[in-house]
């Protein structure tokens, strides 16, 4: 029975959500599966992947073939690297400890790069919000200036009339 590691689509139209499954190659895309290995949500940035790495490695060692997208996800989460290191241990090129150490080093480096991307996205979003706030402040200032200019001609005749009254009163007092 040929086994594939592939994606099974869930979610509503336009908002896909995938399960990563090990399934018989002859079953339908969203049909029966042998084991659910994890989930993949491409709707967020960066895409969220929750994967049982040890379960994926077990299936890979038993001969399961990942599809192209599943292979990319397995590579992203380190399942292919762990499978490769397990092969080295089996051949005697590495010890268990060395393989575990290499995998942990790779995981920490990968986590650092993902966190850097999240930080960059957060900074970009904050800068965009600040820019939008500045633009809104400029628009509000223009509106206030226009309102003041519109009210100024109405106040000007009143101010002139008041000034004339003051001058006539002052001239009347002088007489």
């Amino acid at each position: 029975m040929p086994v594939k590691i592939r994606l099974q689509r869930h979610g509503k139209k336009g908002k896909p959500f995938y399960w990563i499954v090990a399934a018989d190659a002859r079953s339908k895309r969203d049909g029966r599966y042998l084991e659910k290995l994890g989930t993949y949500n491409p709707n967020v940035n960066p895409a969220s992947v929750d994967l049982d790495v040890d379960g994926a490695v077990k299936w890979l060692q038993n001969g399961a073939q990942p599809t192209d997208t599943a292979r990319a996800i397995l590579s992203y989460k380190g399942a292919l690297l762990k499978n490769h290191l397990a092969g080295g241990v089996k051949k005697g090129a590495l010890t268990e400890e060395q393989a575990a150490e290499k995998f942990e080093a790779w995981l920490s480096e990968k986590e650092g790069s993902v966190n850097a991307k999240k930080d960059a996205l957060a900074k970009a979003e904050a800068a965009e919000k600040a820019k939008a706030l500045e633009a809104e402040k400029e628009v509000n200032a223009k509106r206030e200036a226009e309102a003041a200019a519109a009210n100024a001609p109405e106040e000007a005749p009143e101010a002139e009339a008041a000034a004339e009254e003051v001058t006539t009163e002052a001239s009347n007092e002088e007489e």
Side-chain angles (χ1 to χ4, degrees):
M1 171 174 77
V3 176
K4 291 259 188 200
I5 297 176
R6 62 184 182 198
L7 301 181
Q8 199 177 63
R9 192 176 200 277
H10 294 271
K12 62 184 185 178
K13 188 188 334 181
K15 299 284 186 181
F17 184 83
Y18 298 96
W19 287 359
I20 303 166
V21 297
D24 184 354
R26 298 168 290 187
S27 65
K28 297 178 183 177
R29 178 192 72 174
D30 297 337
R32 285 182 36 195
Y33 59 90
L34 302 170
E35 184 181 353
K36 179 179 173 183
L37 301 173
T39 60
Y40 168 58
N41 184 4
N43 297 318
V44 294
N45 191 8
S48 73
V49 178
D50 179 33
L51 181 68
D52 175 18
V53 176
D54 294 328
V57 169
K58 180 189 79 165
W59 280 105
L60 289 170
Q61 288 176 344
N62 288 333
Q65 294 297 313
T67 60
D68 293 338
T69 307
R71 181 180 304 279
I73 292 171
L74 294 175
S75 176
Y76 179 79
K77 292 305 276 187
L80 294 180
L81 175 65
K82 194 165 187 176
N83 183 40
H84 176 73
L85 292 173
V89 169
K90 190 183 291 184
K91 291 178 183 176
L94 296 170
T95 64
E96 276 293 328
E97 295 80 26
Q98 290 173 329
E101 184 179 306
K102 284 186 177 187
F103 185 69
E104 290 300 321
W106 181 87
L107 273 181
S108 63
E109 180 183 327
K110 184 69 171 184
E111 186 176 314
S113 66
V114 168
N115 287 338
K117 181 177 180 180
K118 285 181 181 179
D119 291 343
L121 288 171
K123 285 181 183 177
E125 185 178 339
E128 189 175 312
K129 282 184 179 181
K131 186 177 177 182
L133 181 62
E134 288 298 321
E136 189 173 331
K137 284 181 180 178
E138 288 179 21
V139 168
N140 287 342
K142 284 182 182 178
R143 285 184 184 157
E144 288 176 1
E146 289 174 3
N151 290 337
E154 295 172 4
E155 293 176 3
E158 294 172 3
E160 289 175 13
E164 286 179 21
E165 288 178 16
V166 170
T167 54
T168 54
E169 288 177 10
S171 63
N172 288 339
E173 289 178 6
E174 289 177 7
E175 293 175 6

